[in-house]
Amino acid sequence: WLGPVYLAGYLGLSGSWLLLALALWLCWGLNRRGKRDRLAAAFALLEDEREAVCRGLAARHLPAWVHFPDVERVEWLNKVLVQAWPYFGTIMEKTFKEVLEPKIRAKSVHLKTCTFTKIHFGEKCPRINGIKAYTKEIDRRQITLDLQICYIGDCEIHMDISKFNLGVKGVQLYGTLRVILEPLLTDAPFVGAVTLFFMQKPHLEINWAGMSNLLDVPGINVMSDSLIQDYIAARLVLPNRITVPLKKNMNIAHLRFPVPKGVIRVHLLEAENLVQKDNFLGAIRGKSDPYALLRVGTVQYRSKTVSRDLNPIWNETFEFVVHEVPGQDLEVDLYDEDPDKDDFMGSLLIGLVDVMNDRTVDEWFPLSKTTSGHLHLKLEWLSLVNDQEKLHEDKKGLSTAILIVYLDSAFNLPKNHFEYSNGECGAKKIKNNKYLKKMEREPSSFVLLTVGNKTHKSKTCNFSKDPTWGQAFTFFVHSAHSQSLHIEVKDKERDSALGTSVVCLSHLLKDPNMTLDQRFQLDHSSADSFIKMKLVLRALNVEEPDPQRVKAGVNASKPGPVRVTEKAGKQQKFASPPQVSEVPPMSKDSAPLESLPKKDSGEDLGAKDSSAAPVPSETVSGLDEAEGKQNAEHGPPSALPSGAAAVPTLPILQEMRLAPSVTSLGSLPSSCFELSSSNLDIHNGTEASLGEIQLTVRYASIRQSLVVLVNGCRNLVPSSNRGVDPYVRIYLLPDRRWTSRKKTSVKKKTLNPQYDEKFEFFESLENVKKRSLDIAVKNSRPFISQERKELGKVRIDLSQEDLIKGFAQW
């Protein structure tokens, strides 16, 4: 410890250098200890799964097979992996020595001394925490599996390079690996090929050893981890795949590079009520400078930044290619731009399966992981069609087609750009003999593909005149009749062009399938230099929504009669649904009702009983104007204990006004909302009526959240002569922690408070169905007051309800 201090003084360095070195040393040690602790904790959980699950029950961190019934345990497969792991380690050790080590040495002169000194894959093998099999959403000739991979390995790999020891001592890897078995065959081996890829970038953490410990230095560790993850993503994360044929002579090109499922066009319109992140001197709150990050798979776009505005308007459009449905989601993150570090303002996750089914979704989405904020998005699903009539030029400048380029290989490339000039052989002698040997070497080539202002770069094939790339790229096309694909083959070491080519996209229109699969002559190269590619052009088409299908978004409605149960005469009366004259679109969650449905004149709806009921400000917004009917199934009122006052029957008009907009419930296009009175098991705990509370409950399946909307209360019983200040408290039993409690605002001096406040519980549907809602209306009394605090209580058993459809009820 005194050595560096003495050395700094001897060299005349200032004390700041010593403090900087000490800070780096402490941060490096902190990173190292953190990695070792996380690895040790992961090993402890791996050793005793029973204890891990018991701990998870308390912390609600459960494996996927507990949350989702379609994710299955495969302990038999894990036992097979345990038995086979030592043999796998032996095979990998031989592969490292005989295959990988020579390849590393051939990469560079500085790596010629590379030698693996120790290769041990440890005793811990990978685990599969759960498997989900898809059967209905896929083709009959394939099997699709999602494997949740967890590798907490005690592997130890060391290698020496010029007397420097580098190594790895422990690896953690988590991710969802998709396995596609296709095509299914009628003879052995029954499966033609296996395709593997990760849906998203897997989480990777490496515990370094030897000189590699320098990679844990602050600043360097973030860069090294991202480089390794990008290297994995370039080979194993969508749209990249690994396809292994299991049958001889199996053509796997269409399996490695399938045509994408479609294109999602995202219109980022606006946001409202965002959280204030900027502050001055830690106390004065200011406005934020929000921007959005939109991501599908590995493709990410950033919106413009709107300065000093909590209700920003962007009006930007982004397009993403969707390769796998189900599987890929749209992720939106909002940030506040700051000079130092951008502050997180909320996020949104939307499943693309429902957008594909609904085709067009225009909604206000509530942001999660934040206290407030809504985001207005318009989502369009564009299917890929083989129809030249759909290739008309868009007036707004949006894409009208997609070009898929399957880059296969090249043949007889020149060794350098001096070997051929203008397509004619004109070998030139290099006067400087020092570079002669280097110029005679085979080229290390890569390809630049350009359409418009978008350029893709292929991987590099080292030292080959006949390189094979085997990659696929996609381009958005605005005008297929005028745009062209520019190809340039370049040498990596000399950064010189080995050949170019231009393909007009109008040539694809001459083929009925809009496809070209051939060799293309390279210009400015040898006379017999070719590049082999397959070009596929597909038009983007927004299909009209199916009128027979029930939409799963805001515009959800079902045709059919409205059932009204009347107590008088103990008969059920069926009435046709009211006509919706006009419902204007509303951007706010609590927009006032401007246009009400008309009531049929021949119905006795008992308006007197419901005239005193408060009308919530939440309304049915965004109804499909093309559909003039709204179904509202009105069942019997809540089952109350004997002696309790009966709830008056609500008319159809009031029933429609009681149901809030699905937008206000934080809905996503994954779930359908039906306006119905549900026969709940409600117990007030007393024999006399203490008033009523109006609730709307539903489950947003994509967001994995239970949404509870507290509209209001009526006819509360006062606890004192001075009046009451009521508020509503909600628990999702059996969780009674103070941190998980939900609470509305306090309404002063009223027995009919109106709240219109929304709360979310982020739990899985299976977990929610095992629980119940505990809702209490309380009086906000003074601290030392003797007044009664609890005004009434309701408990709702969620296991008896269809939460996907939802219910709205007093």
Side-chain angles (χ1 to χ4, degrees), residues 378-412:
K378 181 182 179 182
L379 309 174
E380 293 179 312
W381 178 265
L382 308 176
S383 56
L384 308 184
V385 296
N386 185 10
D387 188 357
Q388 298 187 17
E389 296 181 357
K390 303 290 185 180
L391 289 175
H392 57 276
E393 190 169 350
D394 192 272
K395 296 180 180 179
K396 298 180 181 179
L398 299 176
S399 303
T400 59
I402 183 174
L403 176 67
I404 309 164
V405 180
Y406 301 101
L407 178 63
D408 188 0
S409 56
F411 305 94
N412 198 28

Side-chain angles (χ1 to χ4, degrees), residues 611-631:
S611 59
V615 179
S617 61
E618 288 286 334
T619 61
V620 181
S621 65
L623 286 175
D624 194 347
E625 295 182 4
E627 296 174 327
K629 296 184 179 181
Q630 176 73 36
N631 177 42

Side-chain angles (χ1 to χ4, degrees), residues 326-340:
Q328 289 190 290
D329 300 321
L330 170 64
E331 304 172 56
V332 184
D333 295 325
L334 295 186
Y335 288 92
D336 170 31
E337 187 176 45
D338 287 322
D340 48 358

Side-chain angles (χ1 to χ4, degrees), residues 508-723:
L508 280 79
L509 301 179
K510 299 177 182 178
D511 186 86
N513 294 323
M514 294 194 292
T515 302
L516 286 180
D517 188 1
Q518 64 184 55
R519 293 182 179 184
F520 296 89
Q521 173 74 47
L522 288 175
D523 300 326
H524 308 289
S525 186
S526 171
D528 55 351
S529 295
F530 296 89
I531 186 169
K532 185 180 180 182
M533 296 184 300
K534 181 180 179 182
L535 309 180
V536 179
L537 186 67
R538 291 291 180 265
L540 301 181
N541 179 42
V542 181
E543 299 180 10
E544 293 297 327
D546 185 4
Q548 301 298 326
R549 183 182 178 275
V550 179
K551 294 196 69 175
V554 162
N555 300 329
S557 63
K558 277 190 176 183
V562 178
R563 186 181 64 193
V564 179
T565 304
E566 295 186 353
K567 300 189 71 175
K570 300 181 180 180
Q571 294 179 352
Q572 289 185 343
K573 176 180 178 181
F574 292 87
S576 60
Q579 299 294 324
V580 180
S581 58
E582 181 182 1
V583 181
M586 301 177 185
S587 61
K588 304 292 182 180
D589 282 349
S590 57
L593 188 64
E594 297 179 5
S595 179
L596 293 176
K598 296 179 181 179
K599 183 173 62 177
D600 288 350
S601 58
E603 297 182 6
D604 183 12
L605 298 176
K608 294 182 180 180
D609 293 335
S610 58
S611 59
V615 179
S617 61
E618 288 286 334
T619 61
V620 181
S621 65
L623 286 175
D624 194 347
E625 295 182 4
E627 296 174 327
K629 296 184 179 181
Q630 176 73 36
N631 177 42
E633 183 184 359
H634 183 76
S638 306
L640 298 175
S642 59
V647 181
T649 303
L650 298 176
I652 297 176
L653 175 61
Q654 180 68 10
E655 179 70 15
M656 291 193 66
R657 297 174 72 180
L658 293 182
S661 67
V662 184
T663 306
S664 67
L665 295 177
S667 70
L668 290 172
S670 63
S671 46
C672 178
F673 183 76
E674 285 190 356
L675 309 178
S676 63
S677 288
S678 181
N679 189 15
L680 300 176
D681 182 17
I682 300 178
H683 303 284
N684 283 329
T686 60
E687 294 185 357
S689 174
L690 300 178
E692 294 168 297
I693 182 170
Q694 183 197 359
L695 303 171
T696 305
V697 182
R698 69 176 300 277
Y699 189 80
S701 58
I702 295 182
R703 289 167 55 80
Q704 296 287 311
S705 67
L706 178 70
V707 184
V708 180
L709 179 66
V710 181
N711 296 96
C713 301
R714 65 184 180 190
N715 303 328
L716 296 179
V717 177
S719 59
S720 66
N721 293 330
R722 71 174 188 89

Side-chain angles (χ1 to χ4, degrees), residues 8 44 56 132 134 156 176 182 365 403-404 410 440 443 446 461 480 483 526 601 605-606 636 638 729 770 799:
K132 181 176 181 179
Y134 294 91
E156 194 168 356
T176 301
E182 68 171 329
F365 296 96
L403 176 67
I404 309 164
E440 289 296 324
F446 63 91
C461 291
Q483 288 187 284
S526 171
S601 58
L605 298 176
S638 306
R729 185 268 302 147
K770 300 174 184 177
S799 63

